[in-house]
Structure formats: C-alpha cells, structure tokens
Amino acid sequence: MHKSREIMVEINLVTWLQERTALSGLSEPVLTAIAEVIQEQILPANEIIAEPEKTPNGFYILLQGQLQTSLKTTPSSPDELSPGCTINLRELLLDQPPEQTISTVTESKLWFVPGERVQELVQQYPEITQTLTRQLAQELAEVSSALTYEQERQDALRPYLVTKAKRGIVGKSRYAQRLRQQIREAGSDRRSVYIFGEPGLEKDNIAALIHYGSPHRQQPIVKIDCGILQKGGAELFGRQGGNPGLIEWLGEGTLILNKIEELPSELVEAIALLLKTSTYTPVTREGDPTAAPKSTPARILAISEKHLPAIAPHLDQTLKVPPLRVRKADIGAQVEYYISLYCRAKGLSKPQLTPEALRRLQSYDFPGNIRELQNLVERAIVQSDCARELTEEIFWAAQGKKKRFRFNLLNAYPQLRHFLRSPWWPDRINYGFTVIAFALVIAILFLGPQTRDRNFALNFFWAWWWPLILFAFPFVGRLWCAVCPFMIYGEITQKISEKLLKHNLKPWPRQQAEQWGGWFLFGLFTLIFLWEELWNLENTAYLSAWLLLLITAGAMICSAIFERRFWCRYLCPIGGMNGLFAKLSMTELRAQQGTCSAECTTYQCYKGGPQKGEGMATNGCPLYSHPAQLEDNRDFDTPDV
C-alpha cells in the first residue's frame, strides 16, 4: 500500500514537470529520474537563491510562493517569477555563474536538485544536454528574429523619432504653472491630446514632454508633418500585403501628428476613425479587396494652429498653449535661460540683461512667440560682441514700428524724472501757487479796470495765456491740465464734501456721459463763442471773470456729486479742446507696457494704494484711465495717471 502511494506521487510529479516547467521537452524516463532525486525545501522571505559570479550548488523549481529577479530581459517583462520556473539549471549545464540575483519575496516552497546529482543525470542521460542545446538554438533563433524585427522597426521609425524633449516649461507665472500641471495630467494616462496654439510656441516640445513624463516613456515617440502625407496615407497605415506603416511599427509608442490642419482632405475621415476607435485600415491597391481593420495601442497627440471641427471632437483632451504676450512675467526667466543655453553651447561668458532691456522685451507682443524670442536673444548676443551687458539698444527690433524711434526723456534726464516724482509736482505748485494766483486773477478782473489796455489780468488772459497754451500743444500736449485751477478747486470741494459733510460720492454715469458728453461740450463751446462775439468778452474784464468762474463752478458741482474728476473727463470745455489739440504733441506720457503686463499685480495706479517699489502712493487715476491703455494724449489729464 505504501509503495503504491509513492508510485502515485511520482507519477503526479512527473506529470507536473511535463505540464508546468521548462523540462517538458524531456522524455518520461528522464523526468522520472529527476523526480527521484528532488528534495523539497521551504525558504523564508528575502532568501537569495542565485547570485552573479557565484557558482550555484544546484537547481530549483518553484512550487509555491514568489521569487523576484534583479534583471529585466525587456522593458515590459515582469520582475517576479511564477510557479514552475527553473533556476540555475542552464548555468549548471553550461558551467557558468548566474547573470542575475534571484531571491524570495514571500515564504516559498521549492524543489531542489543538488549539483552533483545534476552531473550524474547528465552523464546518465545525454538527452538532457541535447534538449538544452535545442532550447538554446530555438531561443537564439527567436532572439535573432526579434533583433531583425527591431532593426527593421528602428529603420522605419528613425526618420521620425523624437529622441528627447528640448526643455521644460520656463517661468513661474500662473500660465506656466497651469501648463505644467496640464502636461503632468496628460502624461498620466493614454488618452489622445489636442495641442492647440499660435505659431512659435514649440507645441511639438510640449508633446514630447507629455510622452516622456508618462509611464510609457521607454516606448518610441515619432512626429510626422501632416502636410507631407500621401493622400492614401500609406506612411501611416501601411499597405495590405506590403510594408507596415508607422502606426504598426510604433506599437505602444506615441504618434505626434504635427500641423494637422494641413492634413489632406482624403485622410480626415481615416484619422477621425483612428482617434475615435483606435483602428485603421491598411491601404490596398486599386481592384484589391478592402483590407481588414487593425487595432493599435499607440497614443495619438495632434498639434494644430487652427481649430478643426472634423478632428477636434474625437480627441479626448485639449491643451491650449498660451501665447507669449500673455506670459510676459516669464520673459525674464526665458531670456536668462536662452542666454545660458547659447553661451554654454558657444563657450562664451554670460552677459547680464539690463532692466531697461527687459522692459523693452516685455513691452513687445512677440507675434512669433517663443521661437522669435530665442532668435532675438541669440542675435543680441552675437551683435553685442561679447559685451558684459545686453542693453535695450541691442534689442531694437523688439518693439512696434510706431515705438521704434521714440526717445525716453525720463531716462535721458534723471533730474526731470526726480522733479516729476517729487512733492512739488503737482501738489505744491497747485496748492502753493495756482490756487492763490487764480483767486488773485479773478479779483483783479472784477475789481480792476475793465479794458484790456488797463487791466493786466485781462490782457494776460487773452493776449498771453491762450496763445501760450495753443503754442505749447505740439511740445508738451495737455500738460496744462496738471495745474488747471478748475480741477484744483473741484478737488478742494470734493475733500470738503467727503470729510466735513460726510457725503458719499456717486459713481460716474458712464453710459449717459459717453452718449451726451460730446453734445454738452459742443453746446458750451457754442455759448462761449456767442458770448465772445456778441458781448465783447475778450475786452471786458468782469465778463471774462464770470467765464472762468462758471467753468470752475461746473468742476466744483460735479466734484461734490461724483467721485474723482467727472467734469474733467467728460464736461470741461477747456479740457475737451486740450484733448483735441494734444493729439498733435511730440511729447507723450506712456506706461512701460512690460512693467504693467509682467510685473504689476496691484493695479494701484488705477485703483489706488500705498507706495510699492517705484510706484508712488496714490488714490488711483482720477479719470479712471489705466496707463497701459493710453494710445494717444486725448485721455491724459493729470500726472496721477
């Protein structure tokens, strides 16, 4: 009875070796001989059973448990060994040490055959060596076939391969941070992506970043320009019975369809089907039956500068790349990166970028985006002839044609800049001189002689002040508005209304002012003209005083009702005339566009706020005009803008 149980166990073991192990090629007598010398072992976790450069003492067959190896044969092969695998047998037969370390992951049950018994079996049964030789020959043939296939694959993919991403996303703006986050999210799965944006944004590099940030980064990535594809699409889909296409060679890799807006119309439907179902049909010759559709695990990334209604809905994700003109806060970091990149490649010392040069770059919209900026930086380094600094003059092309020949008075004359930032301009002049001088002029006009030849104030008003204002327009624009007495008395009224009377000022009725303000100015000009012609206004002192007082009264009344300077913006007849003539001025007040768009985050010149950096403390623009929006001198009324 005991002998029959041993025979049954032996038969079951032989069957198990035939069905579950690499020894299945051996005959039953050989397997029976091996089964007779097998020893059962139970090894704890983390026990090493094979080490490189160490001769094994026998071979193992895994029955239960988990083993792991330190060497992957292919990128996709697992590092865990399953039950039935044999360890160290080939090494014993070839008398060579293992190529990898193998250890237990969990407590494992193994069958073990000592090395001396293996040698005895080999001498007794030459079939073992012959079977191993056949297996080695078969594996060699498989490896050779795989190498041949891989060589053909590499040859087919090489012209289109993207070997690496050029660079990451440079910058710390919210646009750069969001773009980096979108790239990480796109790389976390295998869904198709539609990368959309203006020319020059290096969208193909973003596609490479998505691939090389994904778990399939070791698979190939290829890029093909859709404009060069044949109408049949044989490059992509291959031919029935002929050469495979890129998609088949690619396997689990990534395909970049660059400039998909140039895709031949004949391929739009096929590409849409590929995106929608991950299937394609090889191209067949005329008269041949239609080929059977094939599926592909490849990932598709489509790049376009235009929205494509026939393609875009079939892409799973859309990544819109922001243009450089909305990422001006990143220009400084990008310029530094390109300077370092170019100087390192050419072996040059790294120059410094001056603040004025950075502001000039930030004031330019870069229609060519990142590519234009890189070319501009490289050209500036070459033109600077290894200078220590890159100044704004070297970036002469980084501005619009209208701004190319402008001259910055504040940079050329620091004293002027200091004066305009001092307490003297305009507050001390306005409240220390203009407010008093205007009151004296009104008093002289009322109380003094009434004819021009005898009244100094009347003669100054009509013979000197008006001509000087008109003559000054081509040179200083509407600079008069900065020291205008009407505005000063209106501001005094506003402060009294707010602080003493505790009166809340109303917001501007902008819609009504825009609609009727021009007609109001026209009516005032008409009345002043009739007054001048019918009542000899310019030669009558008290009438001229009343004219000045009426305009002042309008400024004071509006300032007592509305916030800031509603009268100056919409209703002042002198301001309206000044705005018209000031457009002819050769001197302009303009904001540094780069500072406004790239560095400013508070907008306190518009809303008001404390001093910050170079920005002075201000109550905000009294005319509700943002400096960055000034296109001409018409809407500029005060230096607070």
Side-chain angles (χ1 to χ4, degrees):
M1 184 72 178
H2 178 69
K3 185 175 181 181
S4 63
R5 185 182 298 112
E6 287 182 349
I7 295 173
M8 181 64 67
V9 171
E10 182 176 292
I11 293 174
N12 291 339
L13 177 57
V14 170
T15 303
W16 195 90
L17 291 175
Q18 287 178 328
E19 295 177 350
R20 302 289 300 275
T21 71
L23 303 177
S24 59
L26 298 176
S27 63
E28 186 171 333
V30 177
L31 292 176
T32 302
I34 295 175
E36 291 176 351
V37 297
I38 281 179
Q39 303 173 7
E40 184 177 294
Q41 291 187 359
I42 298 178
L43 301 180
N46 302 318
E47 182 82 9
I48 297 176
I49 59 177
E51 287 184 87
E53 301 181 0
K54 187 175 181 180
T55 303
N57 59 353
F59 85 89
Y60 295 86
I61 300 174
L62 177 62
L63 182 62
Q64 294 177 355
Q66 290 182 343
L67 306 180
Q68 69 176 4
T69 174
S70 62
L71 179 66
K72 290 186 177 184
T73 56
T74 64
S76 59
S77 63
D79 58 1
E80 290 188 0
L81 302 178
S82 57
C85 64
T86 58
I87 299 102
N88 295 337
L89 176 59
R90 180 179 301 177
E91 286 76 8
L92 285 171
L93 296 178
L94 298 178
D95 193 20
Q96 63 182 23
E99 297 179 352
Q100 55 191 333
T101 299
I102 300 177
S103 59
T104 58
V105 178
T106 62
E107 182 179 86
S108 303
K109 180 185 292 186
L110 301 102
W111 285 325
F112 174 71
V113 178
E116 59 273 11
R117 292 297 184 92
V118 172
Q119 297 301 327
E120 293 175 0
L121 290 171
V122 169
Q123 293 177 359
Q124 184 177 358
Y125 299 100
E127 179 186 343
I128 297 177
T129 304
Q130 296 172 359
T131 301
L132 174 64
T133 302
R134 287 195 301 271
Q135 289 181 351
L136 290 176
Q138 183 179 356
E139 291 180 7
L140 181 61
E142 292 175 354
V143 169
S144 177
S145 177
L147 287 175
T148 302
Y149 175 83
E150 187 62 27
Q151 184 64 46
E152 293 177 356
R153 183 189 187 202
Q154 292 297 325
D155 290 343
L157 296 179
R158 187 175 294 111
Y160 310 98
L161 278 175
V162 179
T163 55
K164 63 179 180 178
K166 297 178 184 177
R167 61 186 65 87
I169 304 302
V170 180
K172 297 181 180 180
S173 70
R174 66 180 186 275
Y175 295 101
Q177 294 174 8
R178 185 173 64 182
L179 186 57
R180 280 192 286 266
Q181 178 63 27
Q182 290 175 327
I183 291 173
R184 285 193 293 268
E185 292 174 355
S188 64
D189 54 44
R190 295 285 292 170
R191 293 185 298 165
S192 59
V193 183
Y194 183 40
I195 305 174
F196 176 78
E198 297 179 2
L201 290 173
E202 296 186 338
K203 298 181 288 296
D204 53 347
N205 184 62
I206 291 176
L209 288 172
I210 292 174
H211 172 81
Y212 286 109
S214 72
H216 290 75
R217 64 179 64 89
Q218 293 180 333
Q219 295 294 327
I221 174 175
V222 298
K223 179 181 72 173
I224 187 167
D225 290 335
C226 294
I228 66 172
L229 288 175
Q230 300 176 7
K231 294 181 180 180
E235 304 99 317
L236 285 177
F237 308 131
R239 294 187 179 276
Q240 176 68 12
N243 294 327
L246 277 178
I247 296 178
E248 183 173 341
W249 287 120
L250 200 55
E252 295 184 351
T254 300
L255 171 64
I256 301 176
L257 295 175
N258 193 34
K259 300 178 182 178
I260 200 169
E261 68 273 13
E262 299 179 3
L263 187 71
S265 58
E266 293 83 357
L267 290 179
V268 170
E269 185 177 349
I271 294 297
L273 180 66
L274 173 65
L275 294 170
K276 187 176 181 180
T277 65
S278 296
T279 61
Y280 66 96
T281 303
V283 178
T284 56
R285 292 179 174 83
E286 187 175 356
D288 291 346
T290 303
K294 293 184 177 181
S295 61
T296 174
R299 186 183 194 184
I300 310 297
L301 306 179
I303 296 175
S304 176
E305 296 172 3
K306 300 177 183 178
H307 181 69
L308 303 173
I311 298 293
H314 303 296
L315 290 150
D316 299 321
Q317 306 174 70
T318 298
L319 198 159
K320 187 174 182 180
V321 187
L324 189 57
R325 64 177 175 273
V326 304
R327 292 179 53 199
K328 292 188 176 180
D330 296 333
I331 287 181
Q334 289 175 325
V335 171
E336 289 294 330
Y337 174 78
Y338 291 133
I339 290 175
S340 300
L341 193 69
Y342 185 81
C343 291
R344 185 166 60 248
K346 300 295 183 181
L348 304 174
S349 58
K350 181 182 175 182
Q352 297 297 318
L353 184 73
T354 64
E356 294 79 10
L358 176 59
R359 284 196 290 268
R360 169 166 287 190
L361 291 172
Q362 289 173 334
S363 66
Y364 182 54
D365 283 340
F366 287 99
N369 289 296
I370 296 175
R371 191 177 298 122
E372 181 180 1
L373 175 61
Q374 181 178 4
N375 293 337
L376 194 64
V377 170
E378 293 177 358
R379 185 177 64 189
I381 296 174
V382 173
Q383 291 180 343
S384 67
D385 196 20
C386 299
R388 294 183 178 180
E389 290 186 337
L390 297 179
T391 60
E392 61 177 328
E393 292 79 12
I394 205 69
F395 293 103
W396 58 270
Q399 54 185 331
K401 294 181 179 179
K402 293 182 179 179
K403 301 179 181 180
R404 191 163 294 171
F405 301 104
R406 287 183 175 175
F407 179 72
N408 193 323
L409 292 173
L410 299 182
N411 286 346
Y413 302 102
Q415 299 84 356
L416 175 61
R417 177 184 176 87
H418 178 73
F419 171 72
L420 294 177
R421 292 175 58 84
S422 71
W424 284 96
W425 182 264
D427 288 346
R428 289 184 182 178
I429 294 177
N430 285 339
Y431 293 99
F433 171 76
T434 306
V435 70
I436 299 172
F438 183 72
L440 291 176
V441 168
I442 296 297
I444 294 173
L445 290 175
F446 271 118
L447 302 176
Q450 295 299 298
T451 59
R452 186 184 295 188
D453 58 343
R454 298 176 58 194
N455 192 310
F456 165 76
L458 182 62
N459 187 58
F460 175 78
F461 177 58
W462 290 102
W464 292 97
W465 182 78
W466 272 112
L468 285 174
I469 292 295
L470 294 173
F471 179 75
F473 280 134
F475 299 97
V476 293
R478 58 190 308 175
L479 186 66
W480 157 256
C481 291
V483 292
C484 171
F486 314 135
M487 173 268 298
I488 298 171
Y489 279 93
E491 193 174 73
I492 293 173
T493 304
Q494 198 169 74
K495 291 178 179 179
I496 294 174
S497 176
E498 286 183 307
K499 294 183 179 179
L500 298 183
L501 303 179
K502 305 299 182 181
H503 175 61
N504 293 326
L505 301 177
K506 296 182 179 181
W508 290 3
R510 293 179 180 271
Q511 184 175 358
Q512 293 86 345
E514 294 287 349
Q515 184 176 1
W516 301 106
W519 291 105
F520 181 84
L521 289 177
F522 176 75
L524 282 183
F525 272 117
T526 303
L527 291 175
I528 293 173
F529 176 76
L530 292 175
W531 194 359
E532 180 180 350
E533 293 298 324
L534 297 178
W535 282 278
N536 198 21
L537 178 63
E538 70 273 15
N539 291 313
T540 307
Y542 80 93
L543 292 179
S544 298
W546 277 115
L547 173 63
L548 296 176
L549 286 178
L550 287 173
I551 298 175
T552 305
M556 295 173 69
I557 293 171
C558 287
S559 297
I561 300 174
F562 300 109
E563 60 185 2
R564 307 205 184 187
R565 296 174 187 167
F566 178 74
W567 173 267
C568 298
R569 177 65 182 265
Y570 292 110
L571 305 178
C572 179
I574 308 300
M577 183 192 68
N578 287 353
L580 181 64
F581 285 102
K583 297 179 73 171
L584 304 175
S585 174
M586 65 181 70
T587 305
E588 301 174 334
L589 179 67
R590 295 291 180 269
Q592 287 281 3
Q593 295 289 338
T595 302
C596 291
S597 60
E599 299 178 14
C600 178
T601 57
T602 62
Y603 307 107
Q604 63 189 48
C605 60
Y606 179 79
K607 299 186 297 185
Q611 181 174 354
K612 183 178 180 181
E614 286 196 355
M616 302 176 66
T618 174
N619 293 323
C621 175
L623 299 181
Y624 280 118
S625 293
H626 195 286
Q629 297 174 343
L630 290 176
E631 296 293 337
D632 55 44
N633 288 346
R634 180 176 62 87
D635 290 331
F636 165 62
D637 245 5
T638 73
D640 293 344
V641 174

